[in-house]
């Protein structure tokens, strides 16, 4: 679809993603840049994203609609600290007009995640938080509420 294949959770079918609202997760200054980047293969990182998607309760994955999750190397140049981005129309904003639209898109950015984490365990945690954060946007939960809940 966008030159990349979507990452699918093992427990639910792949869905596809892009539309109108953009909301993302960034961790500014969380870890000082010491010039070192944790190394991880793309396949391993994609597996972590898939595992994070598997952690979403089945009753929520069943209602996810018209959305795909992609792993990208880097975020847009104007926001290099971005760890993930949701682009689309949240489920809470969809109405009768919502038909025949391109799918929503969730992008998880590998580069900034690996640069901010010092250990593989930190990457696992950060990927899970980022995936949950972006999926929450698909459900119409805004950044303010996510921060209140400890997911921001």
């Amino acid at each position: 679809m966008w030159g990349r294949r979507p990452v699918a959770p093992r427990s639910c079918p792949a869905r596809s993603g892009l539309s109108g609202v953009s909301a993302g997760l960034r961790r500014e200054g969380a870890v000082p840049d010491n010039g070192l980047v944790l190394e991880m293969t793309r396949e391993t990182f994609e597996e972590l994203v898939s595992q994070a998607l598997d952690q979403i309760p089945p009753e929520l994955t069943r209602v996810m609609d018209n959305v795909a999750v992609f792993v990208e190397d880097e975020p847009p140049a104007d926001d290099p600290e971005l760890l993930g981005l949701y682009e689309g129309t949240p489920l809470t904003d969809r109405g009768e007009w919502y038909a025949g639209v391109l799918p929503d898109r969730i992008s998880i950015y590998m580069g900034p995640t690996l640069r901010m984490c010092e250990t593989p365990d930190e990457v696992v945690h950060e990927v899970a938080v980022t995936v949950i954060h972006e999926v929450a946007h698909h459900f119409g939960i805004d950044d303010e509420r996510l921060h209140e809940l400890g997911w921001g």
Side-chain angles (χ1 to χ4, degrees), residues 2 8-9 12 15 21 27 36-37 40 45-46 48 58 67 74 76-77 84 89 91-92 119 124 134 147 149 152:
W2 286 274
C12 70
R15 297 179 170 98
V21 172
R27 297 261 198 262
L36 302 175
V37 176
M40 182 176 287
F45 193 86
E46 287 178 354
L48 294 179
V67 62
E74 295 294 333
T89 304
L91 294 174
T92 54
T119 68
V124 170
E134 302 311 331
H147 288 285
L149 295 170

Side-chain angles (χ1 to χ4, degrees), residues 7-10 14 20 22 30 37 44-45 47 52 60 64 70 75 77 80-81 101 124-125 144:
V7 177
R10 289 171 296 209
S22 294
V37 176
T44 299
F45 193 86
E47 180 62 24
L60 294 179
M64 289 176 67
F70 293 86
E81 299 288 329
V101 299
V124 170
H125 172 76
E144 183 178 326

Side-chain angles (χ1 to χ4, degrees), residues 103-139:
D104 293 358
R105 178 183 178 103
I106 293 173
S107 299
I108 307 298
Y109 300 110
M110 187 172 161
T113 304
L114 295 181
R115 287 192 293 275
M116 73 168 283
C117 295
E118 294 181 352
T119 68
D121 286 341
E122 286 181 17
V123 175
V124 170
H125 172 76
E126 204 57 55
V127 166
V129 168
T130 303
V131 166
I132 290 168
H133 183 102
E134 302 311 331
V135 168
H137 288 314
H138 176 67
F139 283 100

Side-chain angles (χ1 to χ4, degrees), residues 31-42:
V31 174
D33 184 358
N34 61 9
L36 302 175
V37 176
L38 188 64
E39 291 187 28
M40 182 176 287
T41 66
R42 185 176 188 93

